[in-house]
Amino acid sequence: MIFQHIFKKNYSRYFVGCIFFIFLLIGFIIFEDYGLSNDEPFQRTVGYYWLINLLKKFSGNYDLINSIEQKFQLMYWSDYVASGNLIQYGILFDTFAAFIEEFFNITNTHEAFYLKHFLTFLVFFISIIFFYKIILERFKNSFFSILIIIFYATSPRIFAEAFYNCKDIVFMSFTVIALYYALKSFDFFSYKNIFLFSIFSGFATNVRVMGLLLFLLYLLFFLFHSLEEKEYLKKNLTKFFFILISYPLIVLIFWPFLWEAPLANLIFTIKSFANFNMS
């Protein structure tokens, strides 16, 4: 096959780079072609709610705070959120998007949502790179890896929501990146790989609390490895404690709702979303 010949010729990195560039270019061209999902106005409001709270806690720029508060009060969900409803949502991505919106002084609401669409796609695009790396590590075949990520990236439901679903797609993307570093750490159990897994599994947990499963499964696989190899736990005891500390710390740092009562508020969050009323 001609494609296999290309890869044998050692041109695979250029071909792969072109595929990624084309996909990024497509996203850049069409990110304004998607409408607004039901959740986006609410998620934007929550992002601004926590941005204001963080600025009040860490910044003395009251003019900026007042300006952002005025913008927040004009949002449809502002009264609902300001009353303390559903503020337990993890706010990493939404607050970051609100910060970027303020940084570029975007005043037009349409442009604000277009910006978030582009940021959502950008996170998804980064996950494609890591998904490619996972497949490449597993099969050692660039052509096959590219084929798999094309299926992943162009699945109609995933591709469309990669622009306007700032919860599920961002959660999926952080999960993919976390899984890459989890697999890397199983091959080479280093502090770097453990810490990077902690960061991205913590980010995933921030977006969707079910990200806790990533951490629990990681500990389970560590236990299985320890049962298979007698000295494994003894040799890696400090690294085991490192993962036990680093993941909860990452989750706590990037989730202000947990700051006052970490365990109690986390349990409250899990219970509230377990019994979430969709009506």
Side-chain angles (χ1 to χ4, degrees), residues 9-273:
K9 284 280 189 181
N10 230 355
Y11 296 133
S12 61
R13 69 176 65 179
Y14 303 110
F15 180 76
V16 170
C18 284
I19 293 294
F20 281 119
F21 176 76
I22 290 169
F23 190 75
L24 180 63
L25 185 62
I26 290 171
F28 184 77
I29 291 171
I30 69 171
F31 75 93
E32 293 185 352
D33 293 345
Y34 290 84
L36 200 65
S37 69
N38 290 333
D39 290 341
E40 285 185 272
F42 174 76
Q43 296 301 149
R44 179 171 176 250
T45 307
V46 171
Y48 264 88
Y49 172 84
W50 283 110
L51 178 63
I52 291 166
N53 276 272
L54 291 172
L55 287 173
K56 285 180 177 178
K57 189 177 290 288
F58 298 110
S59 171
N61 191 339
Y62 297 107
D63 291 337
L64 175 63
I65 294 170
N66 289 334
S67 172
I68 297 175
E69 279 187 324
Q70 290 174 14
K71 189 174 183 179
F72 170 78
Q73 288 163 5
L74 295 174
M75 297 178 184
Y76 180 81
W77 290 97
S78 59
D79 291 339
Y80 184 79
V81 172
S83 299
N85 294 297
L86 293 179
I87 59 170
Q88 67 268 32
Y89 268 108
I91 51 89
L92 173 72
F93 184 73
D94 295 319
T95 303
F96 174 74
F99 170 78
I100 295 296
E101 185 180 329
E102 288 303 310
F103 181 81
F104 287 106
N105 194 28
I106 296 173
T107 56
N108 184 287
T109 305
H110 288 85
E111 290 181 3
F113 285 115
Y114 287 148
L115 170 67
K116 199 161 188 181
H117 285 190
F118 180 71
L119 292 175
T120 305
F121 173 78
L122 198 57
V123 172
F124 174 63
F125 174 76
I126 294 169
S127 83
I128 297 172
I129 297 172
F130 280 90
F131 192 70
Y132 169 79
K133 288 160 75 89
I134 290 173
I135 304 301
L136 186 61
E137 285 284 330
R138 174 65 179 83
F139 295 101
K140 311 296 182 186
N141 185 305
S142 297
F143 174 70
F144 182 71
S145 302
I146 281 291
L147 189 63
I148 294 299
I149 65 159
I150 287 174
F151 292 146
Y152 167 70
T154 61
S155 171
R157 178 73 179 270
I158 292 176
F159 181 76
E161 295 201 9
F163 294 94
Y164 58 78
N165 190 333
C166 60
K167 298 296 289 184
D168 298 317
I169 292 297
V170 173
F171 171 72
M172 181 189 74
S173 300
F174 284 143
T175 298
V176 167
I177 301 171
L179 287 174
Y180 170 76
Y181 285 111
L183 294 170
K184 287 277 286 184
S185 72
F186 294 147
D187 291 333
F188 183 53
F189 201 54
S190 67
Y191 286 106
K192 175 187 173 184
N193 288 330
I194 295 168
F195 184 61
L196 288 169
F197 168 76
S198 297
I199 288 175
F200 290 104
S201 58
F203 286 178
T205 305
N206 188 283
V207 178
R208 290 283 189 204
V209 73
M210 69 179 69
L212 278 167
L213 294 175
L214 288 169
F215 174 64
L216 296 176
L217 286 171
Y218 189 90
L219 295 183
L220 186 62
F221 278 105
F222 182 89
L223 176 61
F224 287 158
H225 204 148
S226 300
L227 293 173
E228 289 178 357
E229 186 182 328
K230 280 188 176 181
E231 298 296 316
Y232 188 77
L233 179 58
K234 186 178 179 180
K235 287 189 299 185
N236 296 291
L237 193 60
T238 56
K239 292 173 183 173
F240 176 71
F241 282 114
F242 181 72
I243 182 69
L244 287 179
I245 295 169
S246 60
Y247 168 80
L249 194 60
I250 293 294
V251 172
L252 182 62
I253 289 172
F254 290 97
W255 202 341
F257 180 71
L258 303 182
W259 289 355
E260 289 186 4
L263 187 58
N265 284 351
L266 180 61
I267 293 171
F268 168 78
T269 300
I270 294 171
K271 287 181 176 179
S272 66
F273 289 133

